[in-house]
């Protein structure tokens, strides 16, 4: 189930990619994987060098003017009328759902509404616009990969793309999806929440780490790197590390493998 | 039973002491205490899991649930849209039915009014059905100082009162205690009507039977009864009260005076609004299709009738609600029907429990309502509490009347950090701007300065990549329980640039032209 009543365009020739600031510094390879994957679908990817952050950390902390100043930079960076694909559900939610509020009554309101309307979360775009089908007949040389899928709260409840996440992962040859207990529960990241309420956040992360470890999966896959950093970092600190992967990386690795 | 009564007394006293100790601290310390209390953690985790599953079982069809939520939201919004008119209509029709209506602007006014009613009726004892508004206005405290004995008759509230604690949930006040703790409490602090200690038992039927025997006497002898109101129906002048224990019916019918107390937002226009909300309220609250009792109170005992109170009063409490009504973004706060589904679904509430919030209303709705009340210290006192939310959206998804709780929590954070120069729309929340401190504004100003200038952003991420080996290995609180994330040597900006990924639409066009030329 994607957002109610959202109408999807036909396959565009070009897309903008919002890498997000977290992917930019901590998961840049996932960003390149997304670029390669989109290119392999015949879509030209534009990665504006002038993009930075959607502005969500300040916005959720109540510092609206500071958030708006940063969001304005993104209005400039993604100015042309081209679909915008966002690598994380959290940032997609900020741009698609919150920008209309961020710029309500501001001179840029019209542009913000237009940008929000052409902004898509990564899995949402892959499924609903590109109708992405992995190569089913591709031989898999490896053992089935057991994947614990973590759909972030913003992807699940904000962008409502949990079904798209699941469909993509389940469609991959040689991948077995395992579901952790309390799958819909927040991992405790919540951006600045993890710093401002460190104890509560850590308690939530510890429970999520237990649930992930109990699946015995080979890796945790998510399209939100904040959650990956939080869950993966907790498991690592506890001395029971599990691999973490952005969904784009899983898809691209599978495509490369199938293409061999 | 491994402990004797003396040992049990010590445990119960210790629990009372721990509660008082927790209450005296600030939010973060309270949360930490709650997180470290394993018994408490187990109680809340168990309750959350149970209540979420229970709710799901009575809403088996997602589409039907969403349609019901649409109707519930519409019913509440209709009521709020005509609030002033409906309140006048309610007063007129209640008065016609013989109910005396009182208006209380503040919590203190409400307490004074209720005390006045008691005094005028020469009433010395008050038996209470469940009422969160009476907790909100701190009525027991006020009346006890005036020498009036208040007795809670809802089983959970009764136990909370025995323990000298406060409710930890708006629907299930004693959900923080397990059976064993409750058995100890009854055994050590309750006495049977014959003056004997209640025998120790962890059996639910025994526990309830013992409380019932004690409470029956209290109902018989109380001078006045107090209740809350779930809906006040304007067209008919009817007070609707749902409950499961029958104590609500006893409190409102046995004593000669019945005092109902509620917030001004609980009014609905007509009886046709009732099923819209009653379909949702018990299902969302306890996973019941309907509560055991649904009371419709339409006035005092009429001439020739054999029972019922001689006087019925309704105290309509504002305590900040008019301000909520006038705030363009925060008005949906008043849609709440107090079912508690938001706290049952909140992962933070499930970890810290109700007492950590330190407010009458805990959980997501508590985070939204508390700072806006007239007597709870506003944003200055509740700033940490509104930060205790990961904005995961579980509450908003569960709310039967679609209150956008995460949006309201974010809005309150903005109110709390509002710069002094900004003029707030409508009526500001108490303590607007009070949480804007130099440290945090410097951080966000600095962040904004770098992130709004692409060149500065690229430079800083580049430097971070270059200096990754110099990054600190520890950064509290993150690394207390997590490993330190390492920035990549080269950012996606750099990787994309190196791979020749175009940066602008013009650059993409140029690349395409080049390619076409090469292909020719």
């Amino acid at each position: 189930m994607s957002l109610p009543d959202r109408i999807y365009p036909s396959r565009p020739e070009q897309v903008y990619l919002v890498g997000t600031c977290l992917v930019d510094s901590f998961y840049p390879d996932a960003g390149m994987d997304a670029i390669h994957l989109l290119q392999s679908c015949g879509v030209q990817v534009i990665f504006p060098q002038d993009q930075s952050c959607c502005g969500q950390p300040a916005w959720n902390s109540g510092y609206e003017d500071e958030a708006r100043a940063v969001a304005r930079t993104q209005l400039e960076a993604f100015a042309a009328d081209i679909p915008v694909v966002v690598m994380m559900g959290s940032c997609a939610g900020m741009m698609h759902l919150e920008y209309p509020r961020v710029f309500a009554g501001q001179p840029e309101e019209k542009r913000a509404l237009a940008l929000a309307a052409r902004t898509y979360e990564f899995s949402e775009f892959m499924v609903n616009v590109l109708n992405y089908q992995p190569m089913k007949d591709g031989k898999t040389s490896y053992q089935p990969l057991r994947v614990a899928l973590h759909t972030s709260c913003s992807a699940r409840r904000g962008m409502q793309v949990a079904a798209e996440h699941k469909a993509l992962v389940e469609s991959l040859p040689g991948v077995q999806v395992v579901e952790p207990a309390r799958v819909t529960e927040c991992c405790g990241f919540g951006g600045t929440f993890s710093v401002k309420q460190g104890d509560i956040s850590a308690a939530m992360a510890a429970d999520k780490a237990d649930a992930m470890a109990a699946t015995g999966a080979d890796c945790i896959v998510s399209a939100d790197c904040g959650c990956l950093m939080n869950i993966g970092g907790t498991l690592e600190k506890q001395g029971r590390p599990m691999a973490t992967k952005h969904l784009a990386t899983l898809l691209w690795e599978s495509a490369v493998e199938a293409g061999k | 039973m491994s402990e004797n009564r003396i040992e049990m007394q010590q445990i119960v006293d210790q629990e009372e002491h721990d509660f008082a100790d927790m209450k005296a601290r600030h939010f973060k310390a309270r949360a930490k205490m709650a997180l470290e209390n394993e018994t408490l953690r187990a109680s809340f985790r168990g309750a959350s899991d149970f209540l979420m599953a229970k709710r799901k079982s009575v809403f088996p069809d997602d589409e039907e649930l969403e349609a019901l939520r649409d109707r519930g939201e519409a019913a509440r919004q209709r009521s709020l849209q005509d609030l002033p008119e409906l309140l006048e209509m309610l007063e007129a029709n209640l008065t016609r039915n013989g109910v005396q209506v009182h208006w209380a602007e503040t919590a203190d006014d409400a307490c004074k009014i209720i005390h006045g009613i008691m005094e005028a009726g020469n009433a010395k004892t008050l038996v209470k059905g469940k009422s969160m508004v009476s907790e909100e206005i701190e009525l027991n405290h006020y009346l006890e100082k005036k020498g009036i004995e208040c007795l809670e008759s809802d089983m959970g509230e009764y136990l909370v009162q025995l323990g000298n604690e406060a409710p930890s949930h708006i629907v299930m006040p004693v959900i923080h205690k397990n059976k064993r703790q409750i058995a100890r409490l009854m055994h050590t602090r309750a006495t049977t009507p014959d003056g004997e200690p209640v025998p120790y038992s962890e059996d639910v039927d025994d526990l309830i039977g013992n409380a019932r025997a004690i409470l029956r006497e209290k109902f018989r002898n109380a001078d006045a009864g107090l209740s809350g109101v779930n809906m006040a129906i304007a067209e008919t002048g009817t007070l609707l009260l749902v409950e499961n224990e029958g104590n609500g019916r006893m409190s409102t019918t046995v004593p000669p005076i019945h005092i109902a107390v509620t917030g001004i937002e609980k009014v609905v226009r007509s009886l046709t609004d009732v099923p819209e909300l009653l379909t949702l309220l018990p299902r969302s609250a306890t996973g019941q299709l309907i509560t055991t009792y649904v009371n419709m109170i339409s006035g005092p005992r009429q001439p020739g009738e054999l029972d019922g109170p001689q006087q019925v009063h309704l105290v309509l409490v504002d305590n900040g609600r008019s301000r909520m009504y006038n705030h363009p973004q925060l008005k949906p706060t008043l849609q709440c029907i107090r079912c508690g589904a938001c706290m049952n679904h909140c992962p933070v509430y499930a970890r810290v429990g109700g007492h950590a919030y330190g407010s009458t209303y805990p959980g997501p709705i508590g985070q939204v309502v508390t700072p806006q009340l007239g007597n709870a210290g506003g944003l200055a006192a509740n700033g940490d509490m509104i930060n205790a939310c990961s904005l995961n959206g579980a509450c908003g998804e569960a709310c039967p009347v679609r209150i956008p709780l995460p949006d309201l929590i974010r809005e309150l954070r903005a109110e709390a950090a509002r710069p002094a120069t900004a003029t707030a729309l409508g009526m500001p929340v108490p303590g607007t701007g009070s949480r804007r401190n130099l440290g945090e504004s410097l951080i966000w100003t600095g962040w904004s300065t770098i992130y709004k200038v692409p060149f500065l952003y690229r430079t800083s991420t580049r430097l971070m990549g270059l200096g990754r080996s110099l990054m600190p290995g520890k950064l509290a609180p993150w690394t207390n329980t997590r490993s330190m994330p390492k920035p990549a040597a080269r950012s996606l900006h750099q990787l994309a640039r190196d791979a020749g990924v175009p940066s602008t639409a013009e650059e993409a066009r140029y690349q395409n032209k080049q390619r076409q030329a090469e292909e020719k």
Side-chain angles (χ1 to χ4, degrees), chain B residues 3-270:
Chain B
E3 305 139 354
N4 63 35
R5 189 151 180 268
I6 306 282
E7 286 166 334
M8 286 189 198
Q9 250 158 7
Q10 284 166 350
I11 295 171
V12 169
D13 288 349
Q14 185 62 44
E15 283 174 357
E16 179 181 344
H17 170 84
D18 289 347
F19 171 78
D21 182 31
M22 189 174 183
K23 203 178 160 191
R25 293 168 193 250
H26 60 82
F27 178 82
K28 280 191 178 171
R30 287 197 299 265
K32 199 167 181 359
M33 286 174 80
L35 289 169
E36 285 165 358
N37 184 335
E38 277 173 38
T39 313
L40 199 68
R41 286 283 293 275
S43 290
F44 280 107
R45 181 78 259 180
S48 280
D49 287 346
F50 175 75
L51 289 164
M52 284 194 283
K54 200 92 195 292
R55 173 182 174 272
K56 211 173 162 64
S57 74
V58 292
F59 288 122
D61 185 315
D62 280 347
E63 252 176 72
E64 194 194 344
L65 167 61
E66 296 313 314
L68 289 172
R69 292 175 73 215
D70 285 342
R71 299 184 66 139
E73 179 190 26
R76 287 302 298 138
Q77 288 184 345
R78 271 199 307 276
S79 300
L80 291 179
Q81 194 173 329
D82 302 329
L83 189 61
E85 180 208 336
L86 294 182
L87 285 168
E88 280 178 26
M89 194 193 291
L90 177 72
E91 180 178 31
N93 288 323
L94 281 171
T95 308
R96 199 196 58 211
N97 293 348
V99 176
Q100 300 175 54
V101 179
H102 312 260
W103 300 87
E105 196 185 330
T106 66
D108 198 47
D109 290 348
C111 289
K112 278 190 188 130
I113 289 167
I114 292 166
H115 180 234
I117 296 168
M118 302 272 304
E119 264 193 332
N122 201 21
K124 295 270 178 273
T125 53
L126 180 71
V127 66
K128 293 176 69 196
K130 207 177 143 356
S131 156
M132 286 311 293
V133 172
S134 78
E135 300 278 349
E136 172 191 322
I137 61 176
E138 298 175 49
L139 180 67
N140 291 11
H141 186 66
Y142 184 96
L143 290 181
E144 271 154 21
K145 276 203 296 198
K146 303 278 181 194
I148 289 174
E149 185 203 344
C150 299
L151 184 85
E152 298 289 350
S153 67
D154 171 90
M155 184 70 189
E157 293 271 0
Y158 171 70
L159 292 166
V160 160
Q161 193 178 30
L162 277 185
N164 204 9
E165 296 186 5
S168 59
H169 189 288
I170 62 169
V171 177
M172 289 148 280
V174 75
I175 199 147
H176 58 287
K177 287 202 190 294
N178 61 31
K179 254 191 279 185
R180 187 163 187 188
Q181 291 173 300
I182 290 168
R184 282 196 204 108
L185 196 56
M186 284 293 286
H187 182 51
T188 58
R189 296 215 172 161
T191 41
T192 66
D194 307 328
E196 295 294 316
V198 168
Y200 182 89
S201 171
E202 291 177 19
D203 182 86
V204 177
D205 290 336
D206 284 350
L207 286 166
I208 289 175
N210 290 331
R212 184 203 299 263
I214 298 165
L215 291 169
R216 283 288 146 132
E217 286 307 304
K218 300 284 181 181
F219 285 125
R220 222 190 303 275
N221 300 322
D223 299 327
L226 184 128
S227 75
V229 175
N230 293 95
M231 276 180 253
I233 298 119
E235 277 181 359
T236 55
T238 308
L239 305 177
L240 184 142
L241 179 66
V242 295
E243 44 131 357
N244 281 318
E245 299 171 14
N247 68 309
R249 185 159 298 174
M250 300 287 272
S251 307
T252 58
T253 54
V254 178
I257 303 173
H258 168 214
I259 306 166
V261 56
T262 193
I264 54 169
E265 81 280 15
K266 287 285 170 65
V267 63
V268 298
R269 181 180 291 273
S270 87

Side-chain angles (χ1 to χ4, degrees), chain A residues 7 13 17 19-20 40 46 56 100 105 112 122 135 165 167 178 189 193-194 200 213 256 260:
Chain A
I7 295 161
E13 286 183 10
L17 184 73
T20 77
S40 77
I46 303 170
Q56 185 176 207
F122 172 75
M135 278 190 270
H165 273 50
V178 289
F189 175 63
F193 168 75
S194 63
I200 302 173
V256 170
K260 266 179 193 167

Side-chain angles (χ1 to χ4, degrees), chain B residues 206-499:
Chain B
D206 284 350
L207 286 166
I208 289 175
N210 290 331
R212 184 203 299 263
I214 298 165
L215 291 169
R216 283 288 146 132
E217 286 307 304
K218 300 284 181 181
F219 285 125
R220 222 190 303 275
N221 300 322
D223 299 327
L226 184 128
S227 75
V229 175
N230 293 95
M231 276 180 253
I233 298 119
E235 277 181 359
T236 55
T238 308
L239 305 177
L240 184 142
L241 179 66
V242 295
E243 44 131 357
N244 281 318
E245 299 171 14
N247 68 309
R249 185 159 298 174
M250 300 287 272
S251 307
T252 58
T253 54
V254 178
I257 303 173
H258 168 214
I259 306 166
V261 56
T262 193
I264 54 169
E265 81 280 15
K266 287 285 170 65
V267 63
V268 298
R269 181 180 291 273
S270 87
L271 284 168
T272 57
D273 291 308
V274 171
E276 303 281 355
L277 297 169
L278 214 48
T279 309
L280 289 162
L281 177 57
R283 286 178 208 231
S284 304
T286 49
Q288 291 172 285
L289 295 176
I290 190 77
T291 47
T292 315
Y293 294 83
V294 179
N295 304 289
M296 309 275 267
I297 298 160
S298 308
R301 183 190 299 198
Q302 300 300 306
E305 288 182 352
L306 296 175
D307 51 19
Q310 275 120 36
Q311 294 176 27
V312 177
H313 298 262
L314 175 68
V315 182
L316 286 160
V317 180
D318 188 309
N319 195 25
R321 288 169 175 79
S322 293
R323 194 168 42 221
M324 302 178 207
Y325 178 78
N326 282 311
H327 194 291
Q329 275 84 38
L330 297 169
K331 188 176 178 182
T333 307
L334 295 175
Q335 279 167 228
C336 181
I337 56 172
R338 302 284 190 265
C339 70
C342 59
M343 50 204 81
N344 300 343
H345 288 72
C346 173
V348 173
Y349 180 91
R351 301 301 186 306
V352 301
H355 290 156
Y357 293 83
S359 51
T360 302
Y361 305 100
I365 190 64
Q367 288 168 293
V368 169
V369 169
T370 307
Q372 301 187 71
L373 290 176
N375 64 336
L379 289 164
N382 295 289
D384 271 332
M385 191 238 267
I386 59 172
N387 283 333
C389 167
S390 66
L391 297 178
N392 61 79
C395 53
E397 189 180 56
C399 178
V401 292
R402 294 192 189 279
I403 303 173
L405 289 159
D407 293 345
L408 301 186
I409 290 172
R410 197 213 63 81
E411 185 66 34
L412 283 164
R413 290 180 185 173
E415 280 278 356
R418 195 84 73 202
T421 47
T423 40
L425 293 162
M427 294 163 91
V429 180
T432 294
S434 61
R435 302 288 299 184
R436 191 178 183 88
N437 61 60
L438 189 64
E440 199 182 350
S441 25
L442 273 178
I443 289 173
W444 291 119
T445 309
W447 172 84
S448 186
T449 307
I450 293 172
Y451 278 65
K452 75 182 175 194
V453 181
F455 170 73
L456 290 179
Y457 170 77
R458 284 195 302 269
T459 309
S460 66
T461 50
R462 204 179 180 129
L463 288 174
M464 191 157 77
L466 287 172
R468 60 203 286 259
S469 55
L470 305 173
M471 293 285 283
K474 280 184 188 171
L475 203 60
W478 180 270
T479 54
N480 294 346
T481 56
R482 305 171 189 86
S483 60
M484 184 74 188
K486 252 210 165 356
R490 296 170 69 71
S491 70
L492 178 58
H493 275 75
Q494 290 170 282
L495 297 182
R497 175 96 283 177
D498 293 353

Side-chain angles (χ1 to χ4, degrees), chain A residues 183-207:
Chain A
V183 65
T184 61
E185 193 173 78
C186 176
C187 71
F189 175 63
T192 52
F193 168 75
S194 63
V195 179
K196 289 188 173 182
Q197 297 291 340
D199 293 327
I200 302 173
S201 170
M204 291 163 74
D207 288 347

Side-chain angles (χ1 to χ4, degrees), chain A:
Chain A
M1 183 181 79
S2 50
L3 284 170
D5 306 326
R6 186 152 205 203
I7 295 161
Y8 293 100
S10 54
R11 170 186 297 258
E13 286 183 10
Q14 297 176 318
V15 293
Y16 279 128
L17 184 73
V18 176
T20 77
C21 56
L22 223 47
V23 168
D24 196 21
S25 288
F26 295 95
Y27 292 81
D29 294 338
M32 289 311 294
D33 293 336
I35 290 173
H36 291 141
L37 189 71
L38 288 163
Q39 287 171 339
S40 77
C41 297
V43 178
Q44 186 175 30
V45 179
I46 303 170
F47 183 87
Q49 289 286 323
D50 283 359
Q51 64 179 291
S52 57
C53 167
C54 62
Q56 185 176 207
W59 180 250
N60 284 353
S61 299
Y63 283 73
E64 297 186 337
D65 294 338
E66 291 80 355
R68 199 175 291 116
V70 171
R72 207 172 274 134
T73 301
Q74 316 317 310
L75 292 186
E76 294 295 331
F78 301 97
D81 185 18
I82 295 170
V84 176
V85 179
V86 190
M87 286 200 61
M88 293 184 12
S90 166
C91 320
M94 176 69 181
M95 296 176 72
H96 180 64
L97 302 169
E98 294 292 317
Y99 272 15
R101 284 178 217 172
V102 174
F103 291 101
Q106 301 286 325
E108 304 91 341
E109 185 170 3
K110 255 179 100 173
R111 285 167 63 203
L113 286 171
L115 174 59
R118 59 185 161 87
T119 296
Y120 306 92
E121 186 272 342
F122 172 75
S123 72
E124 181 190 21
F125 188 82
M126 293 305 291
V127 170
N128 298 308
V129 181
L130 294 187
N131 191 23
Y132 181 73
Q133 305 286 345
M135 278 190 270
K136 276 277 185 200
D137 49 347
K139 286 204 181 82
T140 51
S141 57
Y142 46 82
Q143 285 284 309
L145 186 73
R146 285 165 60 82
V147 166
L149 177 65
H150 175 76
T151 303
S152 74
C153 299
S154 38
R156 183 185 301 280
R157 306 199 181 90
M159 295 303 290
Q160 302 187 13
V161 293
E164 281 81 349
H165 273 50
K166 209 165 174 209
L168 285 173
V169 179
E170 282 178 347
S171 71
L172 295 175
V175 165
Q176 189 194 343
V177 186
V178 289
E179 187 165 279
R182 298 195 183 98
V183 65
T184 61
E185 193 173 78
C186 176
C187 71
F189 175 63
T192 52
F193 168 75
S194 63
V195 179
K196 289 188 173 182
Q197 297 291 340
D199 293 327
I200 302 173
S201 170
M204 291 163 74
D207 288 347
K208 186 60 85 179
D210 285 343
M212 287 295 175
T215 64
D218 299 310
C219 75
I220 304 167
V221 168
S222 178
D224 276 82
C225 294
C227 311
L228 286 180
M229 215 176 244
N230 182 42
I231 305 167
T234 300
L235 285 162
E236 195 178 3
K237 181 92 174 188
Q238 293 172 346
R240 45 174 181 173
M242 279 174 84
T244 60
K245 258 185 201 158
H246 189 281
L247 180 57
T249 299
L250 183 75
L251 293 179
W252 180 239
E253 282 176 352
S254 171
V256 170
E257 183 78 18
K260 266 179 193 167

